[in-house]
Amino acid sequence: MIKKTLDEKAFQLLKEKMEQGLFPQWVLTDPDIYELEIDKIFGHTWQFLAHETELKDSGSYVTRWMVNDPVLLVKNRKGEIKGYLNSCTHRGTQLCTADHGNKKNFTCPYHGWSYNLDGELIGIVAGNKVYGEEMDKSEWGLREIPQVASYQGMIFGCLDPVAMPLEEYLGDMKWYFDILLGRSDGGMEVRGLPQRWVAKANWKATAENFAADPYHVQTTHRSTVELGISPEDPLYAGYGHQIVTENGHGINVITSKTGKARVPYQGTPESMWPMFKKNLTPEQDEILSGVTVFVGGVYPNLSFVSPIHGTEGHLHNYLNFRMWRPIGPEKVEVWCWFLIDKAAPEEYKEAAYRGYLGSFGPTGTLEQDDTETWARIVEVSKGLMMRDKELNYNNVSNYLMGFDRVEPDESFPGPGIAYPTTYLDAISRSMHENWFKLISKDLFVKEAVK
Amino acid sequence: MSSYLSIPITAHLQMEITNLLNMEAYYLDNGKYKEWLDLLSDDLTYRMPLRETLEGVGANNVSKDASFFEETKKSLTTRVNRLYTKSAWVENPATRQRHFISNIMVESTKNPEEFKVRSYFLFKRSRGSTHDIEEMFGERNDIVRKESNQWKIASRTILPDQSVITTMNMSMFL
Ligand code: FES
Ligand SMILES: [Fe+2]
């Protein structure tokens, strides 16, 4: 089916262009590519589901989506977090439609089958009378998500039972997660449910916008310069390091012209600094003490930002994770979580939350302008010139920033390949490479075998 | 029984408060954000909690801890000032929007100067030359107050009816 429309020649050309730091425009919203991505990328990589603080007690549950797979994530009596396909094994009805709650068991509204927190089928209405003794309930438990694992409280799922383990997949990103999520005693906590909205965008573009593109800050978010909140210097978001880690992940450590933030430890209360030092290695501490903004991503569709944001004259830091759930080539459902150090003073948490609402999420003044540019990319992507797979019109996007020109900075204290600027397309190119590796896997082999 | 003397809601009072909300919608729909700010009291609280999907009959589905807006007059002023810059791209070029306000119900409160006002909103927006029509709808619970002979909005809680917002951003005030 796919072979009809995606020929090997187009892929060969794609590969050639990518090696030159170019990314053909046709792939962004191509419907066949989109189907391939869902299957070959989202079917085999780790996707973010929830943070452990969203599941406090035994019986706590949240419902989530891995693209189109409905997930029921529950904490069982042993305190383990279990992920099930949120679909009744009798006729496939969605079992639970609530966003969150607490239950001892889940009963399907269709014919009344019920399941316990371990996913076991424990009740069939009129069971023996209609199914007889031969019906073995243990065969009809909820289907488990093949892999569920967590790191620093972040719970991920993977639909591929033989995919590499989460920690191996995260690789060097773990070291940076240890800073973002592990700096405080007790870790981070999520406030409330994530905000959700539907943006007009392709998931690759939003993931790249966060993980790999500090260069857009000076123009997209220029209103903050006009308001006197951000510096006039167009390089202001470019100071620091861009770090490429394995599997398409990456992080930008943005500092400032001086190499250090205006305020140490992202403007957190001074009383918390000794705790950070205690929980971090000297190298991690060196980075945290001087950073202004951490922004990055875990491939394919999790991004994060940890900025310093001022409301009413005070500076606050928070951690925002967002998951880009593709719901078509031109739409993403954005899930946006606010996290804050559990150990932070309550007033600080509240003020940081207000700072978050003012900057990111659908009402955030920064993100509002991002949504406009994302939409403008997909709104022009249907043209014949854009869609031309033979690239007769040279419709390729430019990922040449720093290409073959900026060398890694060996003195950077963290792992990964660190480049001495964040105005760079190194993470983007690594995301593209990973994208290509995943979607082209086994694509043309089958044809040859036939 | 309430212990205070409730003030009768006269047709005149209902009309004054309806006018306030209509004037507000007019300002918002015509980019007169500074005029809009003048309709808000200095001690304003302006909130928009998330709606959640919860199991159970009559469950309170207004989120207790997650919001889209938690604003003061000061923070709204910052948001408004931004919309007067040249590079707030979300509104440059400006979107076209309408706030349809209806089902206005006025109740008295313990404070004879303050009234509780419930209203429904239907918000529609058109952007650029796209064919999409974005919309949002829900309810607003306000406290309005007469301050030196001028009606002001002293508090607003906006309750959207969607748990997943379908406008591509929320640059609008509701
Ligand atoms: S589909 Fe769930 S009990 Fe029949
Ligand atoms: Fe941005």
Side-chain angles (χ1 to χ4, degrees):
Chain A
M1 180 182 81
I2 285 152
K3 285 172 212 143
K4 256 185 260 156
T5 43
L6 288 178
D7 58 285
E8 212 164 339
K9 222 178 95 199
F11 263 71
Q12 204 44 52
L13 197 52
L14 184 55
K15 199 165 176 231
E16 274 167 35
K17 292 293 173 188
M18 286 172 63
E19 279 160 7
Q20 297 160 30
L22 307 168
F23 197 64
Q25 210 172 346
W26 70 267
V27 297
L28 191 76
T29 59
D30 183 86
D32 297 319
I33 288 282
Y34 179 76
E35 291 304 322
L36 266 186
E37 288 170 349
I38 299 310
D39 195 10
K40 300 203 150 211
I41 298 177
F42 292 91
H44 299 277
T45 50
W46 286 89
Q47 293 171 58
F48 180 62
L49 293 171
H51 186 263
E52 278 171 11
T53 54
E54 293 180 88
L55 296 156
K56 290 200 171 63
D57 312 305
S58 146
S60 290
Y61 70 88
V62 293
T63 54
R64 297 284 138 100
W65 292 88
M66 293 169 78
V67 191
N68 296 316
D69 287 74
V71 179
L72 175 62
L73 203 64
V74 303
K75 190 174 226 175
N76 70 10
R77 283 171 184 280
K78 282 179 249 151
E80 302 158 336
I81 288 166
K82 297 286 211 171
Y84 307 107
L85 192 69
N86 187 9
S87 167
C88 178
T89 60
H90 180 228
R91 293 288 157 82
T93 308
Q94 186 177 349
L95 187 60
C96 179
T97 56
D99 294 326
H100 69 122
N102 191 290
K103 281 160 97 81
K104 287 196 182 63
N105 46 55
F106 295 87
T107 302
C108 177
Y110 199 175
H111 311 90
W113 286 23
S114 54
Y115 307 85
N116 66 15
L117 302 178
D118 289 303
E120 294 159 341
L121 178 64
I122 51 163
I124 302 180
V125 176
N128 291 347
K129 291 197 190 72
V130 290
Y131 287 100
E133 294 297 337
E134 61 276 22
M135 166 85 168
D136 180 0
K137 285 210 286 267
S138 72
E139 285 173 11
W140 294 97
L142 291 176
R143 284 149 292 206
E144 287 203 42
I145 302 303
Q147 296 199 63
V148 174
S150 63
Y151 187 76
Q152 287 284 13
M154 302 287 285
I155 309 163
F156 293 76
C158 182
L159 299 176
D160 181 352
V162 299
M164 67 176 95
L166 176 66
E167 292 207 17
E168 185 186 337
Y169 183 68
L170 291 174
D172 286 336
M173 188 51 82
K174 285 192 299 179
W175 194 87
Y176 298 96
F177 267 23
D178 291 345
I179 306 179
L180 292 164
L181 295 146
R183 68 185 190 183
S184 284
D185 296 346
M188 303 297 273
E189 63 185 13
V190 164
R191 174 164 168 159
L193 272 184
Q195 298 167 322
R196 291 163 72 184
W197 83 102
V198 179
K200 265 184 114 172
N202 180 271
W203 71 272
K204 295 189 287 302
T206 51
E208 226 179 81
N209 173 257
F210 264 80
D213 188 8
Y215 178 52
H216 83 282
V217 172
Q218 38 79 23
T219 300
T220 304
H221 306 303
R222 196 179 149 70
S223 70
T224 61
V225 179
E226 283 191 62
L227 288 171
I229 297 166
S230 300
E232 281 283 353
D233 174 7
L235 282 169
Y236 77 91
Y239 299 111
H241 287 82
Q242 178 165 101
I243 300 118
V244 177
T245 64
E246 307 92 321
N247 300 316
H249 319 319
I251 182 169
N252 298 276
V253 178
I254 303 173
T255 53
S256 78
K257 196 168 188 169
T258 63
K260 286 272 173 195
R262 269 190 299 147
V263 288
Y265 296 100
Q266 299 187 290
T268 49
E270 204 168 333
S271 59
M272 295 173 75
W273 301 353
M275 175 179 70
F276 297 157
K277 266 191 194 308
K278 177 188 69 148
N279 292 325
L280 301 175
T281 66
E283 293 77 16
Q284 289 169 326
D285 180 64
E286 183 190 333
I287 291 173
L288 180 64
S289 65
V291 69
T292 303
V293 179
F294 286 115
V295 60
V298 171
Y299 200 79
N301 64 334
L302 179 67
S303 301
F304 55 84
V305 58
S306 166
I308 301 177
H309 193 83
T311 47
E312 327 219 343
H314 303 286
L315 293 172
H316 296 93
N317 166 243
Y318 56 83
L319 177 58
N320 166 223
F321 270 92
R322 66 245 333 288
M323 190 270 282
W324 317 102
R325 175 192 172 201
I327 49 173
E330 299 181 3
K331 273 187 180 168
V332 283
E333 186 180 273
V334 193
W335 290 60
C336 229
W337 287 261
F338 169 88
L339 291 91
I340 191 81
D341 308 72
K342 211 179 271 180
E346 289 306 317
E347 325 81 71
Y348 185 86
K349 292 181 188 177
E350 184 59 34
Y353 190 62
R354 287 168 182 256
Y356 161 69
L357 295 177
S359 47
F360 288 99
T363 47
T365 53
L366 299 178
E367 189 135 6
Q368 288 173 19
D369 293 334
D370 287 314
T371 65
E372 173 68 23
T373 58
W374 303 338
R376 289 196 198 186
I377 298 174
V378 297
E379 280 162 354
V380 296
S381 68
K382 282 200 185 66
L384 292 176
M385 285 175 69
M386 282 79 159
R387 283 280 161 94
D388 176 39
K389 297 187 171 95
E390 272 143 44
L391 304 177
N392 296 312
Y393 311 97
N394 200 31
N395 270 67
V396 288
S397 293
N398 179 316
Y399 286 93
L400 293 168
M401 198 163 39
F403 187 56
D404 273 348
R405 198 169 53 81
V406 177
E407 292 299 319
D409 174 3
E410 304 295 343
S411 69
F412 185 74
I417 307 166
Y419 296 91
T421 170
T422 69
Y423 283 1
L424 192 72
D425 287 328
I427 294 176
S428 289
R429 289 193 297 265
S430 160
M431 291 169 84
H432 293 165
E433 262 169 51
N434 205 62
W435 172 86
F436 188 82
K437 191 180 88 194
L438 289 164
I439 62 156
S440 61
K441 190 167 175 254
D442 301 332
L443 189 58
F444 302 107
V445 177
K446 274 180 220 135
E447 220 165 21
V449 171
K450 259 188 186 170
Chain B
M1 275 301 283
S2 47
S3 56
Y4 60 95
L5 216 60
S6 72
I7 296 179
I9 308 301
T10 61
H12 179 73
L13 182 68
Q14 175 87 25
M15 189 194 66
E16 281 194 352
I17 291 172
T18 302
N19 283 351
L20 169 73
L21 298 186
N22 285 340
M23 183 55 88
E24 181 195 17
Y26 174 78
Y27 287 154
L28 289 174
D29 294 341
N30 288 277
K32 296 180 185 296
Y33 298 111
K34 289 187 175 152
E35 288 82 347
W36 174 64
L37 284 177
D38 286 338
L39 298 180
L40 311 177
S41 74
D42 290 339
D43 62 347
L44 171 84
T45 54
Y46 181 94
R47 309 188 54 232
M48 182 171 182
L50 262 65
R51 286 283 204 142
E52 307 180 343
T53 306
L54 297 179
E55 271 189 12
V57 180
N60 176 10
N61 58 15
V62 176
S63 171
K64 285 175 229 31
D65 44 12
S67 316
F68 292 114
F69 285 116
E70 288 293 343
E71 308 298 309
T72 59
K73 184 156 184 183
K74 192 169 173 188
S75 69
L76 285 179
T77 304
T78 307
R79 286 178 183 270
V80 161
N81 288 341
R82 198 184 89 86
L83 294 174
Y84 287 91
T85 65
K86 289 196 284 290
S87 49
W89 309 118
V90 70
E91 290 296 337
N92 179 17
T95 61
R96 277 85 50 183
Q97 33 179 284
R98 294 287 157 197
H99 292 70
F100 298 95
I101 306 301
S102 70
N103 302 54
I104 299 167
M105 287 168 278
V106 181
E107 276 175 60
S108 59
T109 68
K110 278 190 191 122
N111 180 342
E113 300 296 318
E114 289 188 347
F115 295 85
K116 228 162 100 176
V117 183
R118 187 191 310 273
S119 59
Y120 292 178
F121 69 89
L122 171 62
F123 170 86
K124 295 252 185 187
R125 182 168 74 176
S126 173
R127 170 183 155 276
S129 55
T130 64
H131 302 177
D132 321 321
I133 292 166
E134 295 187 299
E135 64 177 24
M136 194 188 291
F137 47 90
E139 180 180 316
R140 306 185 304 187
N141 292 311
D142 298 346
I143 298 289
V144 302
R145 179 198 299 151
K146 208 160 200 176
E147 282 177 10
S148 45
N149 235 19
Q150 223 216 312
W151 284 104
K152 299 258 180 175
I153 297 158
S155 144
R156 168 163 295 165
T157 303
I158 304 150
L159 304 177
D161 285 340
Q162 291 166 296
S163 66
V164 182
I165 301 297
T166 52
T167 56
M168 61 184 243
N169 57 57
M170 293 171 69
S171 66
M172 74 298 268
F173 302 107
L174 295 158

